[in-house]
Amino acid sequence: MRDLFEKYVPFIAVAVFLGAIGVAYIGPRATYQILCAGADSCIREWVGALSGWAAAIGALYTINAMLLIQRQNVDIQLHPSMTIAKKVRQKCINNKRKIQNLSERFSSEGPMLIELTKAELSDLRKLVRGFGEDDVDRFEEIEYISPTYLRSLRIALVKAQKITEKSIMSPTRLIPRKGIVVDTDYNTVRKAVMRAAEHNTRLREASERFLSRWESRGLDDPTEE
């Protein structure tokens, strides 16, 4: 609606103004009787009135142009923030499956010994890398989320990764391999996965709130072509 207003208001104003002049030109006598009945200085009064209307139309067009410029400036300022928010939201969507897979393996309270698959080890590495990227820090500066929590989560995930990357004798295959989580380390890895799930939800909700605030302003999303 706002786009239509910005696009067509100047043309409508000019059309109305020219139409009034045309009516007056085609029927000057009838126009005089209708508009100037009982007036001693008709021309002066109508010139003054038309000047006022012309000034109002000009002011309306100027205000409209200023609002358009302001909107463009807001678009430019928010463009980087919108891009980061979209990246973080997509990252959280991708993280959800990895976290669900790991959460299923650590659903029971320990301590116990488990062997992670290569796919689960890969998921854990990707979580460490994903939560460690700069766009997460930049988004948390835009939409304030406790940086202390993110730092502690990163420490917990790195610790869990180190545990799972150690080559330990597999009790089932009788060979050293990665992905063995012994009973003494089980709860450490389990807590890291649970914290990743909590913070992933927190980040996704924050990014969706930020994006919805943008959309509620009725502005075009500068990240979409």
Side-chain angles (χ1 to χ4, degrees), residues 67-83:
L67 289 174
L68 180 60
I69 293 172
Q70 183 183 20
R71 177 184 168 185
Q72 291 172 343
N73 290 336
V74 171
D75 288 357
I76 293 171
Q77 292 173 0
L78 288 179
H79 187 166
S81 301
M82 288 294 298
T83 302

PDB file of all heavy atoms in Angstrom, residues 67-83:
ATOM      1  N   LEU A  67      10.538  10.768   3.195  1.00  0.00           N
ATOM      2  CA  LEU A  67      10.267   9.470   3.817  1.00  0.00           C
ATOM      3  C   LEU A  67      10.897   8.339   3.012  1.00  0.00           C
ATOM      4  O   LEU A  67      11.405   7.365   3.582  1.00  0.00           O
ATOM      5  CB  LEU A  67       8.753   9.249   3.927  1.00  0.00           C
ATOM      6  CG  LEU A  67       8.020  10.109   4.952  1.00  0.00           C
ATOM      7  CD1 LEU A  67       6.510   9.878   4.846  1.00  0.00           C
ATOM      8  CD2 LEU A  67       8.507   9.821   6.363  1.00  0.00           C
ATOM      9  N   LEU A  68      10.869   8.481   1.688  1.00  0.00           N
ATOM     10  CA  LEU A  68      11.479   7.467   0.832  1.00  0.00           C
ATOM     11  C   LEU A  68      12.989   7.401   1.063  1.00  0.00           C
ATOM     12  O   LEU A  68      13.573   6.316   1.158  1.00  0.00           O
ATOM     13  CB  LEU A  68      11.173   7.771  -0.631  1.00  0.00           C
ATOM     14  CG  LEU A  68      11.758   6.796  -1.660  1.00  0.00           C
ATOM     15  CD1 LEU A  68      11.233   5.390  -1.417  1.00  0.00           C
ATOM     16  CD2 LEU A  68      11.430   7.253  -3.064  1.00  0.00           C
ATOM     17  N   ILE A  69      13.622   8.573   1.168  1.00  0.00           N
ATOM     18  CA  ILE A  69      15.060   8.618   1.422  1.00  0.00           C
ATOM     19  C   ILE A  69      15.382   8.011   2.784  1.00  0.00           C
ATOM     20  O   ILE A  69      16.345   7.252   2.942  1.00  0.00           O
ATOM     21  CB  ILE A  69      15.570  10.073   1.337  1.00  0.00           C
ATOM     22  CG1 ILE A  69      15.454  10.585  -0.108  1.00  0.00           C
ATOM     23  CG2 ILE A  69      17.018  10.157   1.812  1.00  0.00           C
ATOM     24  CD1 ILE A  69      15.751  12.062  -0.246  1.00  0.00           C
ATOM     25  N   GLN A  70      14.563   8.351   3.785  1.00  0.00           N
ATOM     26  CA  GLN A  70      14.773   7.795   5.125  1.00  0.00           C
ATOM     27  C   GLN A  70      14.647   6.277   5.103  1.00  0.00           C
ATOM     28  O   GLN A  70      15.442   5.561   5.724  1.00  0.00           O
ATOM     29  CB  GLN A  70      13.762   8.383   6.099  1.00  0.00           C
ATOM     30  CG  GLN A  70      13.952   7.906   7.534  1.00  0.00           C
ATOM     31  CD  GLN A  70      12.890   8.457   8.455  1.00  0.00           C
ATOM     32  OE1 GLN A  70      11.829   8.868   8.007  1.00  0.00           O
ATOM     33  NE2 GLN A  70      13.170   8.475   9.742  1.00  0.00           N
ATOM     34  N   ARG A  71      13.663   5.786   4.378  1.00  0.00           N
ATOM     35  CA  ARG A  71      13.467   4.340   4.272  1.00  0.00           C
ATOM     36  C   ARG A  71      14.662   3.674   3.603  1.00  0.00           C
ATOM     37  O   ARG A  71      15.118   2.611   4.041  1.00  0.00           O
ATOM     38  CB  ARG A  71      12.197   4.072   3.474  1.00  0.00           C
ATOM     39  CG  ARG A  71      11.927   2.605   3.237  1.00  0.00           C
ATOM     40  CD  ARG A  71      10.721   2.433   2.355  1.00  0.00           C
ATOM     41  NE  ARG A  71      10.606   1.059   1.894  1.00  0.00           N
ATOM     42  CZ  ARG A  71       9.690   0.668   1.021  1.00  0.00           C
ATOM     43  NH1 ARG A  71       8.856   1.532   0.515  1.00  0.00           N
ATOM     44  NH2 ARG A  71       9.642  -0.598   0.638  1.00  0.00           N
ATOM     45  N   GLN A  72      15.193   4.289   2.570  1.00  0.00           N
ATOM     46  CA  GLN A  72      16.358   3.739   1.890  1.00  0.00           C
ATOM     47  C   GLN A  72      17.570   3.707   2.819  1.00  0.00           C
ATOM     48  O   GLN A  72      18.356   2.755   2.800  1.00  0.00           O
ATOM     49  CB  GLN A  72      16.664   4.551   0.635  1.00  0.00           C
ATOM     50  CG  GLN A  72      15.619   4.382  -0.465  1.00  0.00           C
ATOM     51  CD  GLN A  72      15.836   5.337  -1.626  1.00  0.00           C
ATOM     52  OE1 GLN A  72      16.560   6.342  -1.499  1.00  0.00           O
ATOM     53  NE2 GLN A  72      15.221   5.051  -2.755  1.00  0.00           N
ATOM     54  N   ASN A  73      17.715   4.755   3.649  1.00  0.00           N
ATOM     55  CA  ASN A  73      18.831   4.784   4.601  1.00  0.00           C
ATOM     56  C   ASN A  73      18.711   3.672   5.641  1.00  0.00           C
ATOM     57  O   ASN A  73      19.700   3.049   6.032  1.00  0.00           O
ATOM     58  CB  ASN A  73      18.896   6.143   5.303  1.00  0.00           C
ATOM     59  CG  ASN A  73      19.338   7.263   4.379  1.00  0.00           C
ATOM     60  OD1 ASN A  73      20.014   7.003   3.373  1.00  0.00           O
ATOM     61  ND2 ASN A  73      18.973   8.481   4.684  1.00  0.00           N
ATOM     62  N   VAL A  74      17.458   3.429   6.087  1.00  0.00           N
ATOM     63  CA  VAL A  74      17.233   2.343   7.052  1.00  0.00           C
ATOM     64  C   VAL A  74      17.573   1.002   6.412  1.00  0.00           C
ATOM     65  O   VAL A  74      18.188   0.127   7.029  1.00  0.00           O
ATOM     66  CB  VAL A  74      15.768   2.357   7.541  1.00  0.00           C
ATOM     67  CG1 VAL A  74      15.471   1.097   8.363  1.00  0.00           C
ATOM     68  CG2 VAL A  74      15.514   3.605   8.380  1.00  0.00           C
ATOM     69  N   ASP A  75      17.163   0.835   5.139  1.00  0.00           N
ATOM     70  CA  ASP A  75      17.484  -0.395   4.411  1.00  0.00           C
ATOM     71  C   ASP A  75      18.990  -0.635   4.389  1.00  0.00           C
ATOM     72  O   ASP A  75      19.472  -1.746   4.641  1.00  0.00           O
ATOM     73  CB  ASP A  75      16.970  -0.319   2.975  1.00  0.00           C
ATOM     74  CG  ASP A  75      15.451  -0.435   2.903  1.00  0.00           C
ATOM     75  OD1 ASP A  75      14.830  -0.620   3.957  1.00  0.00           O
ATOM     76  OD2 ASP A  75      14.920  -0.344   1.798  1.00  0.00           O
ATOM     77  N   ILE A  76      19.746   0.424   4.076  1.00  0.00           N
ATOM     78  CA  ILE A  76      21.202   0.308   3.969  1.00  0.00           C
ATOM     79  C   ILE A  76      21.816  -0.051   5.321  1.00  0.00           C
ATOM     80  O   ILE A  76      22.713  -0.888   5.422  1.00  0.00           O
ATOM     81  CB  ILE A  76      21.802   1.617   3.433  1.00  0.00           C
ATOM     82  CG1 ILE A  76      21.358   1.832   1.967  1.00  0.00           C
ATOM     83  CG2 ILE A  76      23.321   1.605   3.512  1.00  0.00           C
ATOM     84  CD1 ILE A  76      21.721   3.194   1.421  1.00  0.00           C
ATOM     85  N   GLN A  77      21.318   0.580   6.394  1.00  0.00           N
ATOM     86  CA  GLN A  77      21.881   0.340   7.725  1.00  0.00           C
ATOM     87  C   GLN A  77      21.572  -1.070   8.225  1.00  0.00           C
ATOM     88  O   GLN A  77      22.392  -1.709   8.888  1.00  0.00           O
ATOM     89  CB  GLN A  77      21.333   1.375   8.704  1.00  0.00           C
ATOM     90  CG  GLN A  77      21.831   2.794   8.425  1.00  0.00           C
ATOM     91  CD  GLN A  77      21.132   3.820   9.304  1.00  0.00           C
ATOM     92  OE1 GLN A  77      20.280   3.484  10.113  1.00  0.00           O
ATOM     93  NE2 GLN A  77      21.474   5.086   9.129  1.00  0.00           N
ATOM     94  N   LEU A  78      20.364  -1.574   7.911  1.00  0.00           N
ATOM     95  CA  LEU A  78      19.953  -2.872   8.436  1.00  0.00           C
ATOM     96  C   LEU A  78      20.341  -4.037   7.532  1.00  0.00           C
ATOM     97  O   LEU A  78      20.222  -5.195   7.946  1.00  0.00           O
ATOM     98  CB  LEU A  78      18.433  -2.900   8.650  1.00  0.00           C
ATOM     99  CG  LEU A  78      17.911  -2.076   9.827  1.00  0.00           C
ATOM    100  CD1 LEU A  78      16.408  -2.176   9.911  1.00  0.00           C
ATOM    101  CD2 LEU A  78      18.540  -2.518  11.129  1.00  0.00           C
ATOM    102  N   HIS A  79      20.796  -3.749   6.339  1.00  0.00           N
ATOM    103  CA  HIS A  79      21.147  -4.819   5.400  1.00  0.00           C
ATOM    104  C   HIS A  79      22.135  -5.822   6.004  1.00  0.00           C
ATOM    105  O   HIS A  79      21.877  -7.028   5.976  1.00  0.00           O
ATOM    106  CB  HIS A  79      21.699  -4.201   4.115  1.00  0.00           C
ATOM    107  CG  HIS A  79      21.922  -5.210   3.026  1.00  0.00           C
ATOM    108  ND1 HIS A  79      22.147  -4.852   1.732  1.00  0.00           N
ATOM    109  CD2 HIS A  79      21.957  -6.571   3.031  1.00  0.00           C
ATOM    110  CE1 HIS A  79      22.308  -5.938   0.990  1.00  0.00           C
ATOM    111  NE2 HIS A  79      22.197  -6.990   1.764  1.00  0.00           N
ATOM    112  N   PRO A  80      23.269  -5.394   6.565  1.00  0.00           N
ATOM    113  CA  PRO A  80      24.205  -6.378   7.150  1.00  0.00           C
ATOM    114  C   PRO A  80      23.578  -7.167   8.308  1.00  0.00           C
ATOM    115  O   PRO A  80      23.812  -8.372   8.433  1.00  0.00           O
ATOM    116  CB  PRO A  80      25.366  -5.505   7.643  1.00  0.00           C
ATOM    117  CG  PRO A  80      25.259  -4.230   6.866  1.00  0.00           C
ATOM    118  CD  PRO A  80      23.803  -4.017   6.654  1.00  0.00           C
ATOM    119  N   SER A  81      22.792  -6.496   9.132  1.00  0.00           N
ATOM    120  CA  SER A  81      22.173  -7.175  10.268  1.00  0.00           C
ATOM    121  C   SER A  81      21.184  -8.234   9.807  1.00  0.00           C
ATOM    122  O   SER A  81      21.107  -9.332  10.378  1.00  0.00           O
ATOM    123  CB  SER A  81      21.465  -6.157  11.167  1.00  0.00           C
ATOM    124  OG  SER A  81      22.372  -5.195  11.649  1.00  0.00           O
ATOM    125  N   MET A  82      20.408  -7.905   8.759  1.00  0.00           N
ATOM    126  CA  MET A  82      19.452  -8.867   8.232  1.00  0.00           C
ATOM    127  C   MET A  82      20.163 -10.087   7.661  1.00  0.00           C
ATOM    128  O   MET A  82      19.733 -11.227   7.841  1.00  0.00           O
ATOM    129  CB  MET A  82      18.594  -8.203   7.150  1.00  0.00           C
ATOM    130  CG  MET A  82      17.585  -7.217   7.688  1.00  0.00           C
ATOM    131  SD  MET A  82      16.332  -8.052   8.694  1.00  0.00           S
ATOM    132  CE  MET A  82      15.604  -9.115   7.468  1.00  0.00           C
ATOM    133  N   THR A  83      21.255  -9.848   6.954  1.00  0.00           N
ATOM    134  CA  THR A  83      22.014 -10.956   6.371  1.00  0.00           C
ATOM    135  C   THR A  83      22.538 -11.890   7.458  1.00  0.00           C
ATOM    136  O   THR A  83      22.444 -13.116   7.347  1.00  0.00           O
ATOM    137  CB  THR A  83      23.189 -10.414   5.534  1.00  0.00           C
ATOM    138  OG1 THR A  83      22.677  -9.548   4.518  1.00  0.00           O
ATOM    139  CG2 THR A  83      23.968 -11.543   4.894  1.00  0.00           C
TER     140      THR A  83
END
